[in-house]
Amino acid sequence: MLKSASTAALVTALAALSACNPDPSATAPVAAAAQHPDFSGLWFPAGRLQDPQRAEYTPAAAAALAEYEKAFALDDDPGRYCQWPGMPRAIWGAPFAVEIQQRPQDLTIYWEGYGMYRKIYMADMNPPEPILPSAMGHSVARWEGDTLVVETTSLKPYPYMTRLATSSGAHVVERMRLEERDVDGQTTKHIVNEVVLTDPKVYTTPIKITGTLRHRSDLQLLEYTCTDALWDEYLSERGLALPDMDALPDP
C-alpha cells in the first residue's frame, strides 16, 4: 500500500509539473501566430499608385508594344473574356471584393473578379516546390516584424502589352502590412501592399506599385465566371496574335 501511495504521489507531481510547463512545440506556433497581424477577412480595393507611371521598356519590348498597339484596340481587353490578370496585376484588382483566409502555414486569397485564387506559403512551414508556371505564380512569404514579405516566381507570360506585360522571368516582391485609417469618422483597417516588379526582358527599371485594400465586412463574394475559349475564339476571329514575351532577348 505504501508503494501505491508513493506512485500516486509521483503521478500527481508529474501532472502538475506538466501543467506548469506545457510542451513548447504544442504552443509555439499559436504564440508565434498571435504576434503577427491577421489579414483574414473581406476587403475591397481602395487605391493604386505606380512608380514610374509610364513603364520604361527595353528596346525589344518597346518594339513589341508598338506592334501591339497597331493591331489591338481598347475593346480587345482580355479582362472582358475572363483572362486572369494574375500577378502582379491582381494586387489592386478590378472593383470586386477580395477574401483572405490566414493560417500559420499559409494565406489563401480569393478574388470575386475573374474567380481568381492564390496561395501564399510560409517559408518556415515546409512550402511545396512549384510544379508549373501559372498566372499567380509560386509565392513564399516570411515575416519581418509586422510586415509580411512575399516573393513570387514561376509566373507564366502575360503578353497584353498595355496591361503591364510580363515574361516568365518576372520576379515580384511584396511587403504587406495592416494600417488603421479614419474613414467617414470610423477607424477602418486597411491592407497596404508595396510591390516591386522586376522583369529585365521587358522593363529597364523595377516597377513599384502600392495597392490598398479596405476592410469591408458587409460584403460577400459573388459568382463571376466565363471561359477561356471565348477569348481564344475572339483572337482567332480578329486575326490577332499575341507577342511571345519569352522570345524577347535577354538584356
Side-chain angles (χ1 to χ4, degrees), residues 99-190:
E99 182 176 19
I100 301 177
Q101 297 178 1
Q102 181 173 331
R103 304 185 298 177
Q105 66 269 35
D106 58 30
L107 280 79
T108 304
I109 307 177
Y110 302 92
W111 281 263
E112 179 181 296
Y114 311 106
M116 293 188 296
Y117 158 89
R118 182 187 183 197
K119 182 74 77 173
I120 299 175
Y121 301 100
M122 296 306 300
D124 58 352
M125 289 289 192
N126 192 30
E129 293 296 324
I131 299 175
L132 294 170
S134 64
M136 290 297 180
H138 186 256
S139 299
V140 178
R142 67 184 186 278
W143 288 103
E144 291 184 1
D146 287 342
T147 299
L148 186 67
V149 180
V150 188
E151 293 197 43
T152 299
T153 56
S154 195
L155 288 159
K156 68 179 185 181
Y158 189 82
Y160 311 110
M161 297 301 298
T162 56
R163 298 292 184 270
L164 200 64
T166 47
S167 73
S168 60
H171 182 260
V172 181
V173 177
E174 302 163 69
R175 300 182 67 86
M176 299 172 59
R177 67 181 187 275
L178 280 180
E179 289 186 359
E180 290 191 345
R181 299 180 179 178
D182 182 88
V183 179
D184 298 327
Q186 293 185 340
T187 300
T188 308
K189 291 191 299 183
H190 288 71

Coordinates of all heavy atoms in Angstrom, one line a residue, residues 99-190:
E99 N -11.4 38.1 -50.6 CA -11.4 37.5 -49.3 C -10.1 36.8 -49.0 O -9.5 36.1 -49.8 CB -12.5 36.4 -49.2 CG -12.6 35.7 -47.9 CD -13.8 34.7 -47.8 OE1 -14.3 34.3 -48.8 OE2 -14.2 34.4 -46.6
I100 N -9.6 37.0 -47.8 CA -8.3 36.4 -47.3 C -8.6 35.5 -46.1 O -9.3 35.9 -45.2 CB -7.3 37.5 -47.0 CG1 -7.0 38.4 -48.2 CG2 -6.0 36.8 -46.5 CD1 -6.1 39.5 -47.9
Q101 N -8.0 34.3 -46.2 CA -8.0 33.3 -45.1 C -6.6 33.1 -44.7 O -5.8 32.6 -45.5 CB -8.8 32.1 -45.5 CG -10.2 32.3 -45.8 CD -10.9 31.0 -46.2 OE1 -10.3 29.9 -46.3 NE2 -12.2 31.1 -46.6
Q102 N -6.3 33.4 -43.4 CA -4.9 33.2 -43.0 C -4.7 32.1 -42.0 O -5.5 32.0 -41.0 CB -4.4 34.6 -42.4 CG -3.0 34.6 -41.9 CD -2.5 36.0 -41.5 OE1 -3.0 37.0 -42.0 NE2 -1.6 36.0 -40.5
R103 N -3.7 31.3 -42.2 CA -3.4 30.2 -41.2 C -1.9 30.4 -40.9 O -1.2 31.1 -41.7 CB -3.7 28.9 -41.8 CG -5.1 28.7 -42.2 CD -5.4 27.2 -42.6 NE -4.6 26.8 -43.8 CZ -4.6 25.6 -44.3 NH1 -5.3 24.7 -43.8 NH2 -3.8 25.3 -45.4
P104 N -1.4 29.7 -39.9 CA 0.1 29.8 -39.6 C 0.9 29.4 -40.8 O 2.0 29.9 -41.0 CB 0.3 28.9 -38.4 CG -1.1 28.9 -37.7 CD -2.1 29.0 -38.8
Q105 N 0.5 28.4 -41.6 CA 1.3 27.8 -42.7 C 1.1 28.5 -44.0 O 1.9 28.4 -44.9 CB 1.0 26.3 -42.8 CG -0.4 26.0 -43.3 CD -1.4 25.7 -42.1 OE1 -1.3 26.4 -41.1 NE2 -2.3 24.8 -42.3
D106 N 0.0 29.3 -44.2 CA -0.3 29.9 -45.5 C -1.4 31.0 -45.4 O -2.1 31.1 -44.4 CB -0.6 28.9 -46.5 CG -1.9 28.0 -46.2 OD1 -2.8 28.6 -45.5 OD2 -1.9 26.9 -46.6
L107 N -1.5 31.7 -46.5 CA -2.6 32.6 -46.8 C -3.3 32.2 -48.0 O -2.6 31.9 -49.0 CB -2.2 34.1 -46.9 CG -1.9 34.9 -45.6 CD1 -0.5 34.6 -45.1 CD2 -2.0 36.4 -46.0
T108 N -4.6 32.2 -48.0 CA -5.4 31.9 -49.2 C -6.2 33.1 -49.6 O -6.9 33.7 -48.7 CB -6.3 30.7 -49.0 OG1 -5.5 29.5 -48.6 CG2 -7.0 30.3 -50.3
I109 N -6.1 33.5 -50.9 CA -6.7 34.8 -51.3 C -7.7 34.4 -52.4 O -7.3 33.7 -53.4 CB -5.8 35.8 -51.8 CG1 -4.7 36.1 -50.7 CG2 -6.5 37.1 -52.1 CD1 -3.6 37.1 -51.1
Y110 N -9.0 34.9 -52.3 CA -10.0 34.7 -53.3 C -10.4 36.0 -53.8 O -10.7 36.9 -53.0 CB -11.2 33.9 -52.8 CG -10.9 32.6 -52.1 CD1 -10.6 32.5 -50.8 CD2 -10.9 31.4 -52.9 CE1 -10.3 31.2 -50.2 CE2 -10.6 30.2 -52.4 CZ -10.3 30.1 -51.0 OH -10.1 28.9 -50.4
W111 N -10.5 36.2 -55.1 CA -11.0 37.4 -55.8 C -12.3 37.1 -56.4 O -12.5 36.1 -57.1 CB -10.0 37.9 -56.9 CG -8.8 38.6 -56.5 CD1 -8.6 39.9 -56.4 CD2 -7.6 38.0 -56.1 NE1 -7.4 40.2 -56.0 CE2 -6.7 39.1 -55.8 CE3 -7.1 36.7 -55.9 CZ2 -5.4 38.9 -55.4 CZ3 -5.8 36.5 -55.5 CH2 -4.9 37.6 -55.3
E112 N -13.3 38.0 -56.1 CA -14.6 37.8 -56.8 C -14.4 38.0 -58.3 O -14.9 37.3 -59.1 CB -15.6 38.8 -56.3 CG -16.9 38.8 -57.0 CD -17.9 39.8 -56.5 OE1 -18.2 39.8 -55.3 OE2 -18.3 40.7 -57.2
G113 N -13.6 39.0 -58.7 CA -13.3 39.3 -60.1 C -12.5 38.2 -60.7 O -11.5 37.8 -60.2
Y114 N -13.0 37.6 -61.8 CA -12.4 36.6 -62.6 C -12.3 35.3 -61.9 O -11.7 34.3 -62.4 CB -11.0 37.0 -63.1 CG -11.0 38.4 -63.8 CD1 -10.4 39.4 -63.1 CD2 -11.5 38.6 -65.0 CE1 -10.4 40.7 -63.7 CE2 -11.5 39.8 -65.6 CZ -10.9 40.9 -64.9 OH -10.9 42.1 -65.5
G115 N -12.8 35.2 -60.7 CA -12.8 33.9 -59.9 C -11.3 33.5 -59.6 O -11.0 32.4 -59.5
M116 N -10.5 34.5 -59.4 CA -9.0 34.2 -59.1 C -8.8 33.7 -57.7 O -9.5 34.0 -56.8 CB -8.2 35.5 -59.4 CG -8.2 36.0 -60.8 SD -7.0 37.3 -61.1 CE -7.7 38.6 -60.1
Y117 N -7.7 32.9 -57.6 CA -7.4 32.2 -56.4 C -5.9 32.2 -56.3 O -5.1 32.1 -57.3 CB -7.9 30.8 -56.5 CG -7.2 29.8 -55.5 CD1 -7.7 29.6 -54.2 CD2 -6.1 29.0 -56.0 CE1 -7.1 28.7 -53.4 CE2 -5.5 28.1 -55.1 CZ -6.0 28.0 -53.8 OH -5.4 27.1 -53.0
R118 N -5.4 32.4 -55.1 CA -3.9 32.5 -54.8 C -3.6 31.9 -53.5 O -4.3 32.1 -52.5 CB -3.4 33.9 -54.9 CG -1.9 34.1 -54.7 CD -1.5 35.5 -54.6 NE -0.1 35.7 -54.5 CZ 0.5 36.8 -54.1 NH1 -0.2 37.9 -53.8 NH2 1.8 36.9 -54.1
K119 N -2.5 31.2 -53.5 CA -1.9 30.6 -52.2 C -0.5 31.2 -52.0 O 0.3 31.2 -52.8 CB -1.8 29.1 -52.3 CG -1.3 28.4 -51.1 CD -2.4 28.4 -50.0 CE -3.4 27.3 -50.3 NZ -4.3 27.2 -49.1
I120 N -0.3 31.7 -50.7 CA 1.0 32.2 -50.3 C 1.4 31.3 -49.2 O 0.8 31.2 -48.1 CB 0.9 33.6 -49.8 CG1 0.4 34.6 -50.9 CG2 2.2 34.1 -49.3 CD1 0.1 36.0 -50.5
Y121 N 2.6 30.6 -49.4 CA 3.1 29.7 -48.4 C 4.1 30.4 -47.5 O 4.9 31.2 -47.9 CB 3.8 28.5 -49.1 CG 2.9 27.7 -50.0 CD1 2.9 27.9 -51.4 CD2 2.0 26.8 -49.5 CE1 2.1 27.2 -52.2 CE2 1.1 26.0 -50.3 CZ 1.2 26.3 -51.7 OH 0.4 25.6 -52.6
M122 N 4.1 30.0 -46.2 CA 5.1 30.5 -45.3 C 6.4 29.7 -45.4 O 6.4 28.5 -45.4 CB 4.6 30.4 -43.8 CG 3.3 31.3 -43.6 SD 3.6 33.0 -44.0 CE 4.9 33.5 -43.0
A123 N 7.5 30.4 -45.5 CA 8.8 29.8 -45.8 C 9.2 28.8 -44.7 O 9.9 27.9 -44.9 CB 9.9 30.9 -45.9
D124 N 8.8 29.1 -43.4 CA 9.3 28.2 -42.3 C 8.3 27.1 -42.0 O 8.4 26.4 -41.0 CB 9.4 29.1 -41.0 CG 8.2 29.8 -40.6 OD1 7.2 29.8 -41.4 OD2 8.1 30.4 -39.5
M125 N 7.4 26.9 -43.0 CA 6.4 25.8 -42.8 C 6.5 24.7 -43.9 O 5.5 24.2 -44.3 CB 5.0 26.4 -42.7 CG 4.7 27.1 -41.5 SD 4.5 26.0 -40.1 CE 3.8 27.1 -38.8
N126 N 7.7 24.5 -44.4 CA 7.9 23.5 -45.4 C 7.0 23.7 -46.7 O 6.3 22.8 -47.0 CB 7.7 22.1 -44.8 CG 8.3 21.0 -45.8 OD1 9.2 21.2 -46.5 ND2 7.6 19.8 -45.7
P127 N 7.2 24.8 -47.4 CA 6.3 25.0 -48.5 C 6.6 24.0 -49.7 O 7.8 23.6 -49.8 CB 6.6 26.5 -48.9 CG 8.0 26.7 -48.4 CD 8.1 25.9 -47.2
P128 N 5.6 23.7 -50.5 CA 5.9 22.8 -51.7 C 6.7 23.6 -52.7 O 6.8 24.8 -52.7 CB 4.5 22.5 -52.2 CG 3.7 23.7 -51.8 CD 4.2 24.2 -50.5
E129 N 7.3 22.8 -53.6 CA 8.1 23.3 -54.7 C 7.1 23.6 -55.8 O 6.0 23.0 -56.0 CB 9.1 22.3 -55.2 CG 10.2 22.1 -54.2 CD 11.1 23.3 -54.0 OE1 11.3 24.1 -54.9 OE2 11.5 23.5 -52.8
P130 N 7.4 24.6 -56.7 CA 6.5 24.9 -57.8 C 6.4 23.8 -58.8 O 7.4 23.1 -59.0 CB 7.1 26.2 -58.4 CG 8.5 26.2 -58.0 CD 8.5 25.5 -56.7
I131 N 5.3 23.6 -59.4 CA 5.1 22.5 -60.4 C 5.1 23.0 -61.8 O 5.9 22.6 -62.7 CB 3.8 21.7 -60.1 CG1 3.9 21.1 -58.7 CG2 3.6 20.6 -61.1 CD1 2.6 20.4 -58.3
L132 N 4.2 24.0 -62.1 CA 4.1 24.6 -63.4 C 4.0 26.1 -63.3 O 3.4 26.6 -62.3 CB 2.8 24.0 -64.1 CG 2.8 22.5 -64.5 CD1 1.4 22.2 -64.9 CD2 3.8 22.2 -65.6
P133 N 4.4 26.8 -64.3 CA 4.2 28.3 -64.2 C 2.7 28.5 -64.3 O 1.9 27.8 -64.9 CB 4.9 28.8 -65.5 CG 5.9 27.7 -65.9 CD 5.3 26.4 -65.4
S134 N 2.3 29.6 -63.6 CA 0.8 29.9 -63.5 C 0.6 31.4 -63.5 O 1.6 32.2 -63.3 CB 0.2 29.2 -62.3 OG 0.8 29.8 -61.1
A135 N -0.6 31.8 -63.6 CA -0.9 33.3 -63.6 C -0.6 33.9 -62.2 O -0.1 35.0 -62.2 CB -2.4 33.5 -63.9
M136 N -0.7 33.2 -61.1 CA -0.4 33.7 -59.8 C 1.0 33.3 -59.4 O 1.5 33.9 -58.4 CB -1.4 33.1 -58.8 CG -2.8 33.7 -58.9 SD -2.8 35.5 -58.7 CE -4.5 35.8 -58.9
G137 N 1.6 32.4 -60.1 CA 3.0 32.0 -59.7 C 3.1 31.3 -58.4 O 2.1 30.8 -57.9
H138 N 4.3 31.1 -57.9 CA 4.6 30.4 -56.7 C 5.1 31.4 -55.7 O 6.1 32.1 -55.9 CB 5.7 29.3 -57.0 CG 5.9 28.5 -55.8 ND1 7.0 28.6 -55.0 CD2 5.2 27.4 -55.3 CE1 7.0 27.7 -54.0 NE2 5.9 27.0 -54.2
S139 N 4.3 31.6 -54.6 CA 4.6 32.6 -53.6 C 5.0 32.1 -52.3 O 4.3 31.2 -51.7 CB 3.3 33.5 -53.4 OG 3.0 34.1 -54.6
V140 N 6.1 32.5 -51.7 CA 6.6 32.1 -50.4 C 6.9 33.4 -49.6 O 7.4 34.3 -50.1 CB 7.9 31.3 -50.6 CG1 8.5 30.9 -49.2 CG2 7.7 30.0 -51.4
A141 N 6.5 33.3 -48.3 CA 6.5 34.5 -47.5 C 7.3 34.3 -46.2 O 7.5 33.2 -45.8 CB 5.1 35.0 -47.2
R142 N 7.7 35.4 -45.6 CA 8.3 35.4 -44.3 C 7.9 36.7 -43.6 O 7.5 37.7 -44.2 CB 9.8 35.4 -44.5 CG 10.4 36.6 -45.1 CD 11.9 36.5 -45.3 NE 12.5 37.8 -45.8 CZ 12.5 38.2 -47.1 NH1 12.0 37.4 -48.0 NH2 13.0 39.3 -47.4
W143 N 8.0 36.7 -42.3 CA 7.6 37.8 -41.5 C 8.9 38.7 -41.2 O 9.9 38.1 -40.8 CB 7.0 37.5 -40.2 CG 5.6 36.9 -40.3 CD1 5.2 35.6 -40.3 CD2 4.4 37.7 -40.6 NE1 3.8 35.5 -40.5 CE2 3.3 36.8 -40.6 CE3 4.1 39.1 -40.7 CZ2 2.0 37.2 -40.9 CZ3 2.8 39.5 -40.9 CH2 1.8 38.6 -41.0
E144 N 8.8 40.0 -41.4 CA 9.8 40.9 -40.9 C 9.1 41.9 -40.0 O 8.5 42.8 -40.4 CB 10.5 41.6 -42.1 CG 11.3 40.8 -42.9 CD 12.1 41.5 -44.0 OE1 11.9 42.8 -44.1 OE2 12.9 40.9 -44.8
G145 N 9.0 41.5 -38.7 CA 8.2 42.3 -37.7 C 6.8 42.1 -38.1 O 6.3 41.0 -38.2
D146 N 6.1 43.2 -38.2 CA 4.6 43.2 -38.6 C 4.4 43.2 -40.1 O 3.2 43.4 -40.5 CB 3.9 44.3 -37.9 CG 3.8 44.1 -36.4 OD1 3.9 43.0 -36.0 OD2 3.5 45.1 -35.7
T147 N 5.4 43.1 -40.9 CA 5.3 43.1 -42.3 C 5.5 41.7 -42.9 O 6.4 41.0 -42.6 CB 6.3 44.1 -42.9 OG1 6.1 45.4 -42.4 CG2 6.2 44.1 -44.5
L148 N 4.6 41.3 -43.8 CA 4.7 40.1 -44.5 C 5.4 40.3 -45.8 O 4.9 41.1 -46.7 CB 3.3 39.5 -44.7 CG 3.3 38.0 -45.3 CD1 3.9 37.0 -44.3 CD2 1.9 37.6 -45.7
V149 N 6.5 39.7 -46.0 CA 7.3 39.9 -47.2 C 7.1 38.6 -48.1 O 7.4 37.5 -47.6 CB 8.8 40.0 -46.9 CG1 9.6 40.2 -48.2 CG2 9.0 41.2 -46.0
V150 N 6.6 38.8 -49.3 CA 6.2 37.7 -50.2 C 7.1 37.8 -51.5 O 7.1 38.8 -52.1 CB 4.7 37.7 -50.5 CG1 4.3 36.5 -51.3 CG2 3.9 37.9 -49.3
E151 N 7.7 36.7 -51.9 CA 8.4 36.6 -53.1 C 7.7 35.6 -54.1 O 7.4 34.5 -53.7 CB 9.8 36.1 -52.9 CG 10.7 37.2 -52.1 CD 12.2 36.9 -52.3 OE1 12.6 36.6 -53.4 OE2 12.9 37.0 -51.3
T152 N 7.4 36.1 -55.3 CA 6.7 35.3 -56.3 C 7.5 35.1 -57.5 O 8.0 36.0 -58.1 CB 5.3 36.0 -56.6 OG1 4.6 36.1 -55.4 CG2 4.6 35.1 -57.6
T153 N 7.6 33.8 -57.9 CA 8.3 33.4 -59.2 C 7.4 32.4 -59.9 O 6.3 32.2 -59.5 CB 9.7 32.8 -58.8 OG1 9.5 31.7 -58.0 CG2 10.6 33.8 -58.2
S154 N 8.0 31.8 -60.9 CA 7.3 30.7 -61.7 C 5.9 31.3 -62.2 O 4.9 30.6 -62.2 CB 7.0 29.5 -60.8 OG 6.6 28.4 -61.5
L155 N 6.0 32.5 -62.8 CA 4.9 33.1 -63.4 C 4.9 32.8 -64.9 O 5.9 32.8 -65.6 CB 4.9 34.6 -63.3 CG 4.6 35.1 -61.9 CD1 5.2 36.5 -61.7 CD2 3.1 35.1 -61.6
K156 N 3.7 32.5 -65.5 CA 3.6 32.3 -66.9 C 3.5 33.7 -67.6 O 3.1 34.7 -67.0 CB 2.4 31.5 -67.3 CG 1.0 32.1 -67.1 CD 0.0 31.1 -67.5 CE -1.4 31.7 -67.4 NZ -2.5 30.8 -67.8
P157 N 4.0 33.8 -68.8 CA 4.0 35.1 -69.5 C 2.6 35.8 -69.6 O 1.6 35.1 -69.7 CB 4.5 34.8 -70.9 CG 5.3 33.6 -70.7 CD 4.5 32.8 -69.7
Y158 N 2.5 37.1 -69.5 CA 1.3 37.8 -69.7 C 1.6 38.8 -70.8 O 2.2 39.8 -70.6 CB 1.0 38.6 -68.4 CG -0.4 39.2 -68.4 CD1 -1.6 38.5 -68.1 CD2 -0.5 40.6 -68.7 CE1 -2.8 39.1 -68.1 CE2 -1.8 41.2 -68.6 CZ -2.9 40.5 -68.4 OH -4.2 41.1 -68.3
P159 N 1.1 38.5 -72.0 CA 1.5 39.2 -73.2 C 0.7 40.4 -73.6 O 0.8 40.9 -74.8 CB 1.5 38.1 -74.3 CG 0.3 37.3 -73.9 CD 0.3 37.3 -72.4
Y160 N -0.2 40.9 -72.8 CA -1.0 42.0 -73.1 C -0.3 43.3 -72.8 O -0.3 43.8 -71.6 CB -2.4 41.9 -72.3 CG -2.9 40.5 -72.5 CD1 -2.9 39.7 -71.4 CD2 -3.4 40.1 -73.7 CE1 -3.4 38.4 -71.5 CE2 -3.9 38.8 -73.9 CZ -3.9 37.9 -72.8 OH -4.4 36.6 -72.9
M161 N 0.3 43.9 -73.8 CA 1.3 44.9 -73.6 C 0.8 46.2 -72.9 O 1.6 46.9 -72.3 CB 1.9 45.3 -75.0 CG 2.7 44.2 -75.7 SD 4.0 43.5 -74.7 CE 5.1 44.9 -74.6
T162 N -0.4 46.5 -73.0 CA -0.9 47.7 -72.4 C -1.5 47.5 -71.0 O -2.1 48.3 -70.4 CB -2.0 48.4 -73.2 OG1 -3.1 47.5 -73.5 CG2 -1.4 48.9 -74.6
R163 N -1.3 46.2 -70.5 CA -1.8 45.8 -69.2 C -0.7 45.3 -68.3 O -0.8 44.4 -67.6 CB -2.8 44.7 -69.4 CG -4.1 45.1 -70.1 CD -4.9 46.1 -69.4 NE -6.1 46.4 -70.1 CZ -6.3 47.4 -71.0 NH1 -5.2 48.1 -71.3 NH2 -7.4 47.6 -71.6
L164 N 0.5 46.0 -68.3 CA 1.7 45.7 -67.5 C 2.1 44.2 -67.9 O 2.1 43.3 -67.1 CB 1.4 45.8 -66.1 CG 2.7 45.9 -65.2 CD1 3.4 47.2 -65.5 CD2 2.3 45.9 -63.7
A165 N 2.6 44.1 -69.1 CA 3.0 42.8 -69.6 C 4.2 42.2 -68.8 O 5.0 43.0 -68.3 CB 3.4 42.9 -71.1
T166 N 4.3 40.9 -68.7 CA 5.5 40.3 -68.1 C 5.9 39.0 -68.8 O 5.0 38.4 -69.4 CB 5.1 39.9 -66.6 OG1 3.8 39.3 -66.6 CG2 5.1 41.1 -65.7
S167 N 7.1 38.7 -68.7 CA 7.6 37.4 -69.2 C 7.7 36.4 -68.1 O 7.4 36.7 -66.9 CB 9.0 37.6 -69.8 OG 10.0 37.8 -68.7
S168 N 8.1 35.2 -68.4 CA 8.2 34.1 -67.3 C 9.4 34.4 -66.4 O 9.5 33.7 -65.4 CB 8.3 32.7 -68.0 OG 9.4 32.7 -68.8
G169 N 10.2 35.4 -66.8 CA 11.3 35.7 -65.9 C 11.0 36.8 -64.9 O 11.8 37.2 -64.1
A170 N 9.7 37.2 -64.8 CA 9.3 38.2 -63.8 C 9.5 37.7 -62.4 O 9.3 36.6 -62.1 CB 7.9 38.6 -64.1
H171 N 9.9 38.7 -61.6 CA 10.1 38.4 -60.1 C 9.3 39.5 -59.4 O 9.5 40.7 -59.6 CB 11.5 38.4 -59.8 CG 11.8 38.1 -58.4 ND1 12.1 39.1 -57.4 CD2 11.9 36.9 -57.7 CE1 12.4 38.5 -56.3 NE2 12.2 37.2 -56.4
V172 N 8.5 39.1 -58.4 CA 7.7 40.1 -57.7 C 7.9 39.9 -56.2 O 7.9 38.8 -55.6 CB 6.2 39.8 -57.9 CG1 5.3 40.8 -57.2 CG2 5.8 39.9 -59.4
V173 N 8.2 41.1 -55.5 CA 8.4 41.1 -54.1 C 7.3 42.0 -53.5 O 7.2 43.2 -54.0 CB 9.8 41.6 -53.7 CG1 9.9 41.7 -52.2 CG2 10.9 40.7 -54.3
E174 N 6.6 41.5 -52.5 CA 5.5 42.3 -51.9 C 5.9 42.5 -50.4 O 6.5 41.7 -49.8 CB 4.2 41.6 -51.9 CG 3.7 41.3 -53.3 CD 2.6 40.2 -53.3 OE1 1.5 40.6 -52.8 OE2 2.9 39.1 -53.7
R175 N 5.5 43.7 -49.9 CA 5.6 43.9 -48.5 C 4.2 44.4 -48.0 O 3.7 45.5 -48.3 CB 6.6 45.0 -48.2 CG 8.0 44.6 -48.6 CD 9.0 45.7 -48.3 NE 9.2 45.8 -46.9 CZ 10.1 45.1 -46.2 NH1 10.8 44.1 -46.8 NH2 10.2 45.2 -44.9
M176 N 3.5 43.5 -47.3 CA 2.1 43.7 -46.8 C 2.1 44.0 -45.4 O 2.7 43.4 -44.5 CB 1.3 42.4 -47.1 CG 1.2 42.0 -48.5 SD 0.4 40.4 -48.7 CE -1.2 40.7 -48.0
R177 N 1.3 45.0 -45.0 CA 1.1 45.4 -43.6 C -0.3 45.9 -43.4 O -1.0 46.3 -44.4 CB 2.1 46.5 -43.2 CG 1.9 47.9 -43.9 CD 2.9 48.9 -43.5 NE 2.6 50.2 -44.1 CZ 3.0 50.6 -45.3 NH1 3.7 49.8 -46.1 NH2 2.7 51.8 -45.7
L178 N -0.7 45.9 -42.2 CA -2.0 46.5 -41.8 C -1.9 47.9 -41.3 O -1.0 48.2 -40.5 CB -2.7 45.6 -40.7 CG -3.4 44.3 -41.1 CD1 -3.9 43.6 -39.9 CD2 -4.5 44.5 -42.1
E179 N -2.9 48.7 -41.6 CA -2.9 50.1 -41.1 C -4.4 50.4 -40.7 O -5.3 49.8 -41.2 CB -2.5 51.1 -42.2 CG -1.0 51.1 -42.5 CD -0.7 52.3 -43.4 OE1 -1.6 53.0 -43.8 OE2 0.5 52.4 -43.8
E180 N -4.5 51.3 -39.7 CA -5.8 51.8 -39.3 C -6.0 53.2 -39.8 O -5.1 54.0 -39.5 CB -6.0 51.6 -37.8 CG -6.2 50.2 -37.3 CD -6.6 50.1 -35.9 OE1 -6.6 51.2 -35.2 OE2 -7.1 49.0 -35.5
R181 N -7.0 53.5 -40.5 CA -7.2 54.8 -41.1 C -8.7 55.3 -40.7 O -9.6 54.5 -40.6 CB -7.0 54.8 -42.6 CG -5.6 54.4 -43.0 CD -5.5 54.4 -44.5 NE -4.2 54.0 -45.0 CZ -3.8 54.0 -46.3 NH1 -4.7 54.2 -47.2 NH2 -2.6 53.6 -46.6
D182 N -8.8 56.6 -40.7 CA -10.1 57.2 -40.4 C -10.9 57.3 -41.8 O -10.4 57.9 -42.7 CB -10.0 58.5 -39.8 CG -11.4 59.1 -39.5 OD1 -11.9 58.9 -38.4 OD2 -11.9 59.9 -40.3
V183 N -12.1 56.6 -41.8 CA -12.9 56.7 -43.0 C -14.3 57.1 -42.5 O -15.0 56.4 -41.8 CB -13.0 55.3 -43.7 CG1 -13.9 55.4 -44.9 CG2 -11.6 54.8 -44.1
D184 N -14.7 58.3 -42.9 CA -16.0 58.8 -42.5 C -16.2 58.8 -41.0 O -17.3 58.4 -40.5 CB -17.1 58.0 -43.2 CG -17.1 58.2 -44.8 OD1 -16.6 59.2 -45.2 OD2 -17.4 57.2 -45.4
G185 N -15.2 59.1 -40.3 CA -15.3 59.2 -38.9 C -15.1 57.9 -38.1 O -15.3 57.8 -36.9
Q186 N -14.9 56.8 -38.9 CA -14.7 55.5 -38.3 C -13.3 55.0 -38.6 O -12.8 55.1 -39.7 CB -15.7 54.5 -38.8 CG -17.2 54.8 -38.4 CD -18.2 53.8 -38.8 OE1 -17.9 53.0 -39.7 NE2 -19.3 53.7 -38.2
T187 N -12.7 54.3 -37.6 CA -11.4 53.7 -37.7 C -11.6 52.4 -38.5 O -12.3 51.5 -38.0 CB -10.8 53.4 -36.4 OG1 -10.6 54.7 -35.7 CG2 -9.4 52.8 -36.5
T188 N -10.9 52.3 -39.6 CA -11.1 51.1 -40.5 C -9.7 50.5 -40.9 O -8.8 51.3 -41.1 CB -11.8 51.6 -41.8 OG1 -13.0 52.3 -41.5 CG2 -12.1 50.4 -42.7
K189 N -9.7 49.2 -40.9 CA -8.4 48.5 -41.2 C -8.2 48.6 -42.7 O -9.1 48.5 -43.5 CB -8.5 47.0 -40.8 CG -8.5 46.8 -39.3 CD -8.3 45.4 -38.9 CE -9.4 44.5 -39.5 NZ -9.2 43.1 -39.1
H190 N -6.9 48.7 -43.1 CA -6.5 48.7 -44.5 C -5.3 47.8 -44.6 O -4.5 47.7 -43.7 CB -6.1 50.1 -45.0 CG -7.3 51.0 -45.2 ND1 -8.0 51.5 -44.1 CD2 -7.9 51.5 -46.3 CE1 -9.0 52.3 -44.6 NE2 -8.9 52.3 -46.0

